[in-house]
Amino acid sequence: MALSDKDNGCTGGEGGESDAIVNTCVLDGFSESREIRAIISTLPQVHGDTLQSESTIQRFLVIMNRYLEQPNLLDPHLEWMLSMLLEFVRSDTSPPSLVHLGFKYLYIICKVRGYKIFMQLLPHEVADVHPVLDLLSRQDPNDTETWETRFMLLLWLSMTCLIPFDLYRLDGDLEADSGKARESTMDRILAIAKAYLLVKDSPRDAASVLISKFMTRPDVKQKCLGDFLDWSLSTISETDDQSMKGIMVLDGALQSLAKLFKHGKREDLLQYAPTIQQCLEKKRLSESSQATLRKLGVKMIQRLGLTFLKPRLAAWRYQRGSRSLAANLSMAQSAAVTAAVTPDVETQEQEEDYDIPEEVETVIENLLAGLKDKETIVRWSAAKGIGRVTGRLPKELADEVVGSVLDCLSFQETDNAWHGGCLALAELGRRGLLLPSRLADVVPLIIKSLTYEEKRGACSVGANVRDAACYVCWSFARAYEPKELEPFVSQISSALLIANVFDRNVNCRRAASAAFQENVGRQGTFPHGIDILTEADYYAVGNLNKCYMSISVYVASFPEYTKDMIDHLIAMKINHWDSAIRELSAKALHNLTPQAPEYMAATVLPQLLPMAVGFDLQGRHGAILACAEIMHALYKLGLQTNRIVVDMISPECVDALKNIHQALHDRKQYRGFGGELMRPAMFSLIEKLSLSKMPFKNEPVIAGWQSLIDDTIKTLHFISSGAKDGIMTAAVQALSALCEEHYQAEPGKADTQMQDVLVSQYIEGLKSPQMLTRCGSALALGCLPKFMIHGKLTQILEGLQQMCTVSQKKGDFTEARRDAVKAISQVCAKVGVSAHSSPDSFLCSENVAEVYGTLLHSMNDYTTDSRGDVGAWVREAAMTSLMDVTFLVAGSAPEILSPDLVKCTMCCLAQQAAEKIDRYRAHAGNILLRLLHSTDPAVPHIPHKEELLSIFPAETLISLNWNAPSQAYKYITQLLRLPQYQHHTLLGLTVSVGGITESTVHFSSQWLFDYLRVIQRDNAALSEFGDSLLSVFRDNLKNDRVSTPFLKMLNQMLANSCFEIFTTQENHPFCVDVLTLCKESKRAKDVSKLQACISVFCGLIQFQGEVRKKVLSQLLMLLCHPFPVIRKSTASQMYEMLLFYDDVIDPEVLDDVTTLLSDTNWESDLATVRPHRNQLCDLLGVSRPQVVAKVTT
C-alpha cells in the first residue's frame, strides 16, 4: 500500500465509472458486520489450513473492497474489529501462523480505511512499546509471506512513539548480568527504522512514517536528528539509482526525509536545510529515469522551500469569503465575512518587510522545471509545491512566479509543460494566490488549453492538458466572486461547452461537464446553465455520438453558443486526425445548419471550399464531408421556405463545388492511401449534391462523377481490406442519387443511352474475375431507380441469377453471391409487382417462380473455406430477401404466390431455424414468425398455419430468444409432428444434435428425445419419422456436413432405445435400410465419420433377425480397416456392445470373444491382426471376409 500524501483536488473528471463503483456510491452502512465478525472469530480454527485461510481472506477482501470508495462507513466498526484481531496478536498462546494471519486482516482494513486514520486507533500506551518492539525485532525482513506483519508493526510502533515520556525512562538498567550493555529503546527503534528504510517491499513506506513520528520527539531530535540526517545524506550520495536495489534505497531515504520535513518543526530543521539542498542538487534526481525518484525529489525540494520560508498566511492573497453555498446565500454573513477578511494595511506592510533566503530561488527553479517533467505524478507534485511556496512569498515575488508559470503555456513548450502549467494555475487559484488582476492574462491561455491538441504520428497528445484546464475552470469557480469572472463568462462558458460536447476523450468531456456544473452553481452567471446541465450532464456526455448528434443541437439552440460551436468544428474538428471525429463533425454541422443558415452559407462554406482542394489530406477529407452535409441541410431548409439551394449560396461556391472532383482528379489524389479517404468523401459529396438537386444536369462534371464511381467498382480489389466495404457502400449510395437526379430524360423515364450503358456495364461486371467487382456490380444493379430498371428487368435478373447459380456450384465468389441475393430483392422492390404485366418491367406471374427459385437455392449455400461457413452470409441474405419479396408479392398480387413457393419458403426457414449457428438460427426464426403472424399483408398458403399458430403464439414474436438453444429447440422440435415440415426440420436438427457445441447439442438432443418419447409407442408416427430420417440420410450420403452429424445423432437415438418398438420385429425394414446406407458410409476416409459409423453398427445389433449377422460381419471387417485407430475403436466398442447386449452371441464363447477383443493389439500391422479377426469370425459364426485383390488396368 502506497503511503503517498492525499492530494487536495483532482484533475477533472475520471471517465468511465464501472458499475461496481456506481453501486458502492449508494451504500448507506456497513451491512456485513455480522459476517465480518464471524470470519474474524474463525481465525483460530482456520490458520493452520492453507486452503481455508486463503478462502476466508478472499471473502474478507471481497467484502472490504466494496468500501474503498466510502471507507468512512467502516468508522463505527473499526474499534471492535481491531480489538478482536489484536486479541489474537497479543496472546502468548497464539502460534506464529495465527499472528501473521491477524496482521494480514489488519493490513486489509488499514488499506481500505487509509493508514492515517487507522493507525490512530492502534493502542499506544507505555506498556505497548516494548512488546511491539520485541515482536518487530523477531521478524525476518526477507520473508515475503509475512510483510503485512512488519508493515502493521511499524505503523503500530509509530503510534507508540507518541507517548509523552522520555524514552530513557523505559530502559531501566542497561547493564546486563554478563556486564555487556544492552541497547537503549531509542537506539533500537532507530536501528529498526533505518533497516526497514532499505528493504524492497511495502514496510519501507511504513518505516518512513515511523521516522517522521520518532524523529520529531523532543528527546530524540536532540540526540539523533543530526546523525540521522547525516546517515540519510550519505545514503543518498553513495547510492546508485541505476540498479533496482539502489532505487529502493533512495526511495526509502527520500520518503523519510520528505515526511520528516513535513511533520518536523521549522526551527529544528532550518539549520540542516541548505546542506540537504546541496546534496540533492549534486544527486541530480531530476535527471533520473525513475519517475518515483523524480517525484520524491520534487516533494523534498518543496519541503525545503517551506522550511526556508517563515510559515505565514499571505495577507495579499485573494479571499472570496465563505466557501459554503448556504453561507454565500446569506447576505448578512457575506457582509460580515467580507469585513473580517479585509487585511489591515499596516499588518500587510509589516509582513512584506522581510528577507527571502537565496535558496528559495533555486527551490522555485526546480519546481518550475518539475512542471515540465514527462510524468504526471511529478508535475502534480511540483504544482502543489508551487502553490504552497508561493503562499509564503511577498506579493511581488509571487507575481513573478505566476508569470513563470504562464510561460509554460506557450506554443514553444511541450504538452507536458502545458499540463504542468494548468495544474499549477489551478493550485494558485484555489489558494487565492492568483489575483484577479492576472485573470486577463490567464483566461485566454486556459481557453487555448481547453482545445489543446498536438498531432503525433497517427494520433495526438493533449487530453491531459484539456483535462487539467477543466480543473482550472473548476477551481476558479470556487475561488473567485462572480463579479471577478464576469468579464470572462462568455469565453469560459463557450469553451467549456465545446469541450463538454466535442472533445474526443470521454474523461475530458466529463471533466468539462463537472467544471461547467461547478461554475453554474458557484457563479450563477453562465447563460442558460441549468437548462444545459439538464441535457448535457456528467453521464449524458459519455456517449460520443449522442454528444455530436443531439446534445450539440440543443446547446447550439442558445444563440450565445451557436457560432462558437460551429467555428470550433471548422477550426479544430474538420481536420482532426481521427476520421471518425471528422465524419461526426460533418454530421454535426448538418444538424447545426438550421440554427445559423445564413452564417453557414455566407461564412462557413467559403472557408471550407479552399480546404476541400488543399494539400492536407485530413483537412481535405473533412472539408468535403462538411460541404456535402451543409449543402444537404441548406436544401432541406430551402424546401421549407420554397427556395432552391443555389439561391442560398454564392455563384463562386457553386462553381467551387462543381470543380472539386476535377481538381482532385488532376492531382491524382484518388490514388493510394489518400484515395481511400477521398473516394468515400467524394461519393458523399456526389450523393448530397444530387439529393440537393444542384443544377449540374448534362454538364461534364456528371460524366466525371460517373467515371469515378465506375472506376471504383472496377478497382476495389486494389484498396486495403479495412476500407473496402465503406467505399463500396458510399459508391452505391452515390450512384443511386446520381441516377435519380441526372439520368431522367423526363419524370419517370430514363435517359435510354445511359440506361443501356450502365445496365450492360454492371451485368458484364457480374462476370468479372475480381470478386469485389462482382460485389460492386451486383449492389449497383440493386440500387438503380425504377426508371433505370424499366424494360431491363429480365436482363438484370438473369445476370444475377446466373452468377448465384454458377458460382455456388464452383464454391467461389461467396460475398458476390451474398450481394447478388440482396440485389434481387432490391430490384424487385424497386419495380413492384403486377400480376399480368411484362416480365421485363415488373415482378409478375411469369418471373416470380424464377426469383423464388434463385433465393431458395441460395438458402442451401453451405460453402466453406478457411474462414469457416461463409455460405451462411448467403443464407442470411437469402432469408431476408425471401421475406421482403414475400411481403411485396403478398401485399400487391397474392394470387401469383403459389402454395408450392410458400411451402418451400416456410420449410427452408424451419430448417435454418433448427440449425446450430445461433445468429442464423435467430435470423431464420424471427423471419418465420414474422411471415406467420403478418396480417398486413397476410401471407397465403402457409402449410399447417393453425398448428403453427398454436406452437408459436403471438407473444413469441417478442419473448422467444432464438439465440438461446434452451428456448429455441423447445419450439422448433414441435414442427416434427407436422408432416410437411418434418423432413426439413429434421435436416436442420441433424447438424445441431450431431454437432460439437455443448449447449446446442445438449438442448437440441433433449427436446428431440422428448418428442421421440411421445411417439415411441405409436408405430405409425415412429415409422413416418423413420422414413424422414432415412430420407435425410439417403439424400446426404455423400455430404459429410450432414452425414457425419447424422450418424452421431442416430447413434444417440439407438443408445436411448428410441426405436425399441422396431426391435421386436425380425429384419425390420428401417434397420435393413440403415444398415445398407451405413455400409456406403463405411467407405469414407474421414476418421470421425468412420467412428460414428462404428457406433451406429454397434447400436444396430439390438435388432433381431438376419440383420444382426450382417452387422457383426461389418464390424469384423472394420477390425481389419487400413487405419489402426479405426481397428482399435471398433474392438473397444464391440467389447462394450457384447457386454451390454448379452443375447447377441452364445454365452459359452462370450469370454473367449471378449478376451480376444481386449488382449489383442489392434494397432499392429494387418498381417498380425487378421488371424485374430478370423478367429473371432469363427467364434461368432460369421463367414470370414475375403481379401479382394485390386484390379489393375
Side-chain angles (χ1 to χ4, degrees):
M1 183 178 79
L3 297 180
S4 58
D5 293 335
K6 295 294 182 184
D7 298 335
N8 296 321
C10 62
T11 59
E14 295 295 332
E17 284 78 3
S18 67
D19 290 338
I21 293 177
V22 173
N23 288 340
T24 56
C25 289
V26 298
L27 296 173
D28 55 1
F30 186 45
S31 56
E32 295 92 348
S33 60
R34 186 174 300 176
E35 184 179 356
I36 290 294
R37 192 183 292 271
I39 289 174
I40 295 175
S41 62
T42 60
L43 294 192
Q45 289 78 43
V46 304
H47 71 89
D49 187 330
T50 305
L51 188 61
Q52 284 192 8
S53 63
E54 286 183 356
S55 175
T56 54
I57 288 174
Q58 190 60 36
R59 178 58 189 159
F60 190 77
L61 262 174
V62 168
I63 294 173
M64 298 304 291
N65 283 345
R66 291 188 63 200
Y67 298 90
L68 281 169
E69 293 295 314
Q70 292 176 278
N72 56 295
L73 296 177
L74 299 176
D75 288 351
H77 307 271
L78 289 176
E79 192 170 343
W80 64 258
M81 286 192 283
L82 185 63
S83 61
M84 287 182 71
L85 290 166
L86 287 181
E87 186 178 344
F88 302 138
V89 169
R90 284 171 152 173
S91 174
D92 295 334
T93 60
S94 296
S97 58
L98 178 57
V99 173
H100 292 312
L101 189 59
F103 277 117
K104 278 183 187 291
Y105 280 75
L106 284 172
Y107 171 77
I108 292 170
I109 301 171
C110 179
K111 179 193 72 172
V112 174
R113 187 59 189 98
Y115 83 96
K116 292 180 182 178
I117 299 294
F118 185 73
M119 68 185 291
Q120 296 173 15
L121 300 174
L122 292 168
H124 46 276
E125 303 290 333
V126 174
D128 294 313
V129 177
H130 278 296
V132 174
L133 192 54
D134 292 339
L135 186 55
L136 188 54
S137 300
R138 294 197 296 269
Q139 302 303 312
D140 179 7
N142 298 317
D143 186 355
T144 58
E145 298 295 324
T146 60
W147 62 268
E148 294 98 337
T149 302
R150 303 191 294 278
F151 184 97
M152 292 308 303
L153 284 171
L154 285 165
L155 287 184
W156 194 355
L157 187 58
S158 303
M159 285 305 299
T160 61
C161 287
L162 299 179
I163 58 172
F165 306 107
D166 285 346
L167 292 177
Y168 74 86
R169 296 188 179 185
L170 306 179
D171 293 335
D173 185 10
L174 294 179
E175 290 292 331
D177 296 337
S178 60
K180 185 178 180 182
R182 290 187 293 110
E183 271 191 304
S184 65
T185 304
M186 188 183 298
D187 292 340
R188 289 179 65 193
I189 294 175
L190 184 57
I192 284 177
K194 286 181 178 180
Y196 279 102
L197 282 177
L198 306 180
V199 298
K200 61 183 179 182
D201 48 9
S202 291
R204 179 179 69 251
D205 303 332
S208 66
V209 177
L210 172 59
I211 286 292
S212 69
K213 304 292 185 185
F214 177 68
M215 280 295 167
T216 53
R217 287 178 55 88
D219 55 340
V220 175
K221 67 185 179 186
Q222 290 178 4
K223 297 182 180 180
C224 305
L225 181 58
D227 293 339
F228 174 77
L229 291 175
D230 288 341
W231 174 85
S232 299
L233 293 181
S234 63
T235 301
I236 292 171
S237 302
E238 296 168 5
T239 305
D240 180 19
D241 64 349
Q242 301 302 313
S243 65
M244 186 57 67
K245 182 173 178 54
I247 292 169
M248 297 299 179
V249 170
L250 283 172
D251 180 270
L254 289 169
Q255 271 201 69
S256 63
L257 285 178
K259 285 189 171 62
L260 180 57
F261 271 77
K262 178 180 181 180
H263 294 103
K265 292 183 179 179
R266 176 176 180 265
E267 54 269 22
D268 298 330
L269 299 170
L270 182 59
Q271 58 182 317
Y272 305 109
T275 307
I276 295 174
Q277 186 181 27
Q278 291 173 11
C279 176
L280 294 177
E281 287 178 1
K282 290 178 183 178
K283 191 63 181 174
R284 297 182 180 275
L285 288 173
S286 60
E287 299 174 7
S288 171
S289 60
Q290 296 297 314
T292 307
L293 296 183
R294 297 201 304 277
K295 175 197 170 184
L296 288 171
V298 167
K299 189 183 287 289
M300 193 61 225
I301 287 293
Q302 63 167 289
R303 297 293 177 203
L304 289 171
L306 295 174
T307 304
F308 288 128
L309 295 166
K310 293 179 181 178
R312 71 190 193 95
L313 204 58
W316 54 265
R317 76 191 190 284
Y318 176 81
Q319 292 175 272
R320 179 174 180 175
S322 176
R323 298 299 173 92
S324 166
L325 283 174
N328 284 335
L329 295 174
S330 170
M331 296 299 294
Q333 185 168 349
S334 283
V337 169
T338 303
V341 300
T342 303
D344 181 77
V345 176
E346 185 178 349
T347 305
Q348 184 173 345
E349 289 177 354
Q350 291 175 358
E351 290 187 354
E352 294 287 330
D353 187 22
Y354 71 93
D355 292 331
I356 301 299
E358 295 178 0
E359 293 87 352
V360 173
E361 184 177 351
T362 306
V363 168
I364 293 175
E365 285 179 3
N366 287 327
L367 291 176
L368 289 171
L371 291 178
K372 303 177 183 180
D373 193 89
K374 62 182 179 181
E375 293 293 338
T376 301
I377 56 171
V378 182
R379 298 194 295 270
W380 185 221
S381 184
K384 289 191 292 183
I386 289 285
R388 289 167 180 155
V389 172
T390 305
R392 298 189 181 183
L393 292 175
K395 183 177 179 180
E396 291 77 12
L397 292 179
D399 193 62
E400 291 182 16
V401 173
V402 172
S404 298
V405 171
L406 292 179
D407 290 340
C408 292
L409 276 63
S410 68
F411 285 102
Q412 289 79 27
E413 296 289 353
T414 65
D415 59 299
N416 295 329
W418 278 75
H419 182 239
C422 286
L423 292 177
L425 287 175
E427 279 296 309
L428 292 169
R430 197 171 61 82
R431 296 169 184 270
L433 305 175
L434 193 62
L435 297 178
S437 59
R438 272 289 191 177
L439 287 177
D441 301 323
V442 172
V443 170
L445 293 173
I446 298 305
I447 301 304
K448 291 179 182 178
S449 301
L450 282 169
T451 56
Y452 181 89
E453 191 163 27
E454 287 287 329
K455 188 178 176 186
R456 296 275 177 86
C459 59
S460 69
V461 296
N464 58 343
V465 177
R466 302 194 298 276
D467 186 73
C470 293
Y471 174 42
V472 176
C473 296
W474 178 89
S475 69
F476 281 8
R478 301 169 69 90
Y480 297 103
E481 291 286 350
K483 63 183 176 59
E484 306 291 357
L485 284 180
E486 191 172 358
F488 313 104
V489 161
S490 175
Q491 300 175 56
I492 295 174
S493 60
S494 294
L496 279 176
L497 281 175
I498 286 168
N500 190 4
V501 177
F502 293 137
D503 200 290
R504 180 178 181 271
N505 189 286
V506 65
N507 289 347
C508 296
R509 294 199 301 276
R510 286 180 163 168
S513 176
F516 188 82
Q517 180 176 347
E518 192 72 18
N519 276 275
V520 170
R522 300 270 180 183
Q523 297 291 317
T525 54
F526 276 32
H528 313 288
I530 299 297
D531 295 334
I532 291 171
L533 280 176
T534 304
E535 181 72 16
D537 62 21
Y538 183 85
Y539 296 101
V541 299
N543 186 310
L544 187 62
N545 280 327
K546 183 179 179 182
C547 286
Y548 273 81
M549 304 309 293
S550 62
I551 296 178
S552 64
V553 178
Y554 179 79
V555 175
S557 65
F558 301 107
E560 295 90 340
Y561 305 117
T562 307
K563 290 186 179 179
D564 287 338
M565 295 180 73
I566 293 171
D567 290 342
H568 174 77
L569 289 174
I570 301 301
M572 301 291 294
K573 293 297 187 284
I574 285 301
N575 57 356
H576 197 272
W577 61 269
D578 186 351
S579 61
I581 296 295
R582 298 197 295 273
E583 292 165 10
L584 281 173
S585 300
K587 294 175 183 176
L589 286 170
H590 178 281
N591 293 342
L592 295 178
T593 300
Q595 309 290 346
E598 292 80 8
Y599 184 69
M600 286 288 192
T603 305
V604 173
L605 204 57
Q607 288 180 24
L608 289 172
L609 288 169
M611 293 171 60
V613 291
F615 290 98
D616 176 45
L617 173 61
Q618 291 159 348
R620 196 164 66 239
H621 176 248
I624 292 174
L625 290 173
C627 289
E629 294 291 349
I630 291 172
M631 288 299 297
H632 193 214
L634 289 172
Y635 166 74
K636 289 180 179 177
L637 286 173
L639 290 179
Q640 300 170 11
T641 56
N642 295 321
R643 296 173 65 193
I644 58 174
V645 71
V646 290
D647 292 341
M648 303 172 73
I649 62 175
S650 65
E652 292 80 7
C653 289
V654 175
D655 292 338
L657 287 167
K658 188 190 305 182
N659 296 330
I660 289 175
H661 164 69
Q662 195 59 45
L664 299 180
H665 182 270
D666 292 345
R667 294 181 192 164
K668 298 181 172 53
Q669 288 174 332
Y670 290 125
R671 297 183 180 181
F673 172 72
E676 295 180 8
L677 290 175
M678 286 298 98
R679 287 176 186 265
M682 198 61 210
F683 292 145
S684 176
L685 184 66
I686 294 169
E687 178 191 6
K688 299 301 182 182
L689 292 182
S690 298
L691 292 174
S692 302
K693 301 191 180 301
M694 293 294 286
F696 297 157
K697 192 170 183 178
N698 298 324
E699 292 197 22
V701 67
I702 302 300
W705 289 354
Q706 183 64 55
S707 67
L708 177 63
I709 295 171
D710 294 341
D711 177 70
T712 300
I713 291 174
K714 291 176 184 176
T715 59
L716 269 170
H717 53 282
F718 292 125
I719 296 170
S720 63
S721 57
K724 287 175 183 174
D725 291 341
I727 292 176
M728 191 187 303
T729 302
V732 168
Q733 291 173 347
L735 175 64
S736 178
L738 186 66
C739 292
E740 192 73 48
E741 178 60 26
H742 298 291
Y743 293 157
Q744 293 190 68
E746 56 187 69
K749 187 174 180 181
D751 179 336
T752 53
Q753 181 182 356
M754 287 305 302
Q755 181 187 23
D756 293 340
V757 169
L758 291 182
V759 171
S760 59
Q761 174 181 314
Y762 294 138
I763 290 176
E764 190 63 29
L766 296 176
K767 303 172 185 176
S768 169
Q770 294 297 334
M771 188 266 294
L772 288 172
T773 301
R774 291 193 177 202
C775 291
S777 300
L779 292 173
L781 289 170
C783 81
L784 293 177
K786 178 178 179 178
F787 61 83
M788 294 290 286
I789 302 173
H790 190 77
K792 301 284 186 179
L793 180 59
T794 303
Q795 188 180 350
I796 291 172
L797 288 178
E798 283 178 356
L800 293 170
Q801 290 164 0
Q802 184 179 8
M803 190 186 75
C804 288
T805 307
V806 173
S807 63
Q808 186 171 341
K809 288 179 181 177
K810 296 181 179 179
D812 52 7
F813 300 112
T814 307
E815 293 93 329
R817 291 201 303 280
R818 173 200 62 198
D819 293 336
V821 167
K822 291 179 183 177
I824 288 174
S825 70
Q826 290 169 354
V827 167
C828 292
K830 293 280 178 64
V831 297
V833 181
S834 181
H836 305 294
S837 295
S838 167
D840 233 7
S841 300
F842 294 94
L843 185 62
C844 60
S845 56
E846 294 183 36
N847 56 15
V848 69
E850 296 174 4
V851 170
Y852 268 87
T854 304
L855 296 178
L856 290 169
H857 182 67
S858 298
M859 289 273 279
N860 291 313
D861 191 325
Y862 288 93
T863 306
T864 58
D865 62 13
S866 58
R867 296 170 291 180
D869 182 9
V870 292
W873 304 337
V874 183
R875 300 199 301 276
E876 183 181 33
M879 286 185 267
T880 305
S881 296
L882 269 174
M883 177 184 69
D884 294 341
V885 172
T886 301
F887 281 142
L888 181 69
V889 177
S892 302
E895 64 273 15
I896 67 173
L897 206 55
S898 68
D900 280 346
L901 292 179
V902 178
K903 175 194 169 185
C904 291
T905 300
M906 296 299 287
C907 288
C908 285
L909 288 171
Q911 175 187 333
Q912 295 300 320
E915 290 207 353
K916 61 183 179 180
I917 304 177
D918 293 346
R919 171 179 170 176
Y920 304 111
R921 180 177 65 245
H923 192 61
N926 289 323
I927 289 175
L928 179 71
L929 293 189
R930 288 183 63 182
L931 292 176
L932 176 63
H933 289 282
S934 176
T935 55
D936 186 22
V939 180
H941 313 306
I942 294 179
H944 302 290
K945 185 170 184 177
E946 294 302 322
E947 292 91 335
L948 287 176
L949 288 172
S950 67
I951 295 171
F952 300 105
E955 55 268 20
T956 55
L957 274 166
I958 300 172
S959 61
L960 179 53
N961 179 11
W962 287 95
N963 277 304
S966 56
Q967 295 185 40
Y969 291 108
K970 176 183 178 181
Y971 289 90
I972 205 67
T973 50
Q974 296 182 52
L975 298 183
L976 291 170
R977 56 187 171 86
L978 306 179
Q980 295 197 47
Y981 293 100
Q982 190 176 69
H983 176 86
H984 286 83
T985 305
L986 192 56
L987 179 56
L989 281 171
T990 296
V991 294
S992 297
V993 177
I996 57 175
T997 305
E998 184 179 355
S999 59
T1000 305
V1001 172
H1002 171 73
F1003 289 109
S1004 59
S1005 56
Q1006 173 187 331
W1007 292 107
L1008 174 61
F1009 294 144
D1010 282 355
Y1011 167 75
L1012 287 174
R1013 276 192 285 274
V1014 172
I1015 66 169
Q1016 201 164 10
R1017 299 301 173 189
D1018 186 342
N1019 194 44
L1022 195 60
S1023 296
E1024 185 181 1
F1025 178 82
D1027 291 341
S1028 296
L1029 202 63
L1030 289 169
S1031 175
V1032 170
F1033 196 10
R1034 195 175 294 112
D1035 293 346
N1036 296 278
L1037 197 59
K1038 303 295 185 184
N1039 182 1
D1040 286 350
R1041 183 191 68 83
V1042 177
S1043 58
T1044 302
F1046 178 89
L1047 289 168
K1048 293 179 181 178
M1049 178 181 73
L1050 183 58
N1051 174 50
Q1052 291 187 53
M1053 291 179 178
L1054 294 171
N1056 284 278
S1057 302
C1058 293
F1059 302 105
E1060 189 175 2
I1061 194 172
F1062 293 166
T1063 60
T1064 58
Q1065 179 182 339
E1066 288 196 3
N1067 299 323
H1068 192 281
F1070 174 77
C1071 176
V1072 173
D1073 291 343
V1074 169
L1075 178 61
T1076 303
L1077 294 170
C1078 285
K1079 286 167 66 176
E1080 293 294 323
S1081 299
K1082 192 187 67 171
R1083 299 173 182 174
K1085 301 296 183 184
D1086 181 51
V1087 172
S1088 61
K1089 185 174 183 179
L1090 286 168
Q1091 289 180 327
C1093 201
I1094 294 166
S1095 300
V1096 172
F1097 280 137
C1098 291
L1100 290 174
I1101 205 73
Q1102 61 188 287
F1103 288 87
Q1104 305 288 334
E1106 191 64 27
V1107 71
R1108 181 173 287 180
K1109 289 284 186 184
K1110 293 179 179 178
V1111 168
L1112 284 173
S1113 176
Q1114 294 300 318
L1115 288 170
L1116 290 167
M1117 289 173 66
L1118 285 166
L1119 283 175
C1120 281
H1121 194 275
F1123 296 169
V1125 67
I1126 297 301
R1127 300 199 294 272
K1128 182 180 179 181
S1129 180
T1130 304
S1132 175
Q1133 293 193 50
M1134 277 188 70
Y1135 182 87
E1136 295 173 2
M1137 173 196 75
L1138 293 173
L1139 293 180
F1140 188 79
Y1141 299 106
D1142 52 5
D1143 62 335
V1144 172
I1145 61 172
D1146 189 346
E1148 294 181 2
V1149 300
L1150 180 61
D1151 288 344
D1152 295 336
V1153 171
T1154 53
T1155 301
L1156 200 56
L1157 284 170
S1158 60
D1159 291 353
T1160 303
N1161 181 10
W1162 295 100
E1163 291 181 305
S1164 301
D1165 58 90
L1166 284 174
T1168 304
V1169 302
R1170 185 169 283 117
H1172 297 293
R1173 192 277 310 273
N1174 291 339
Q1175 187 178 352
L1176 282 172
C1177 291
D1178 297 338
L1179 289 170
L1180 295 172
V1182 177
S1183 57
R1184 296 182 179 182
Q1186 300 298 317
V1187 178
V1188 179
K1190 290 185 179 180
V1191 179
T1192 56
T1193 56

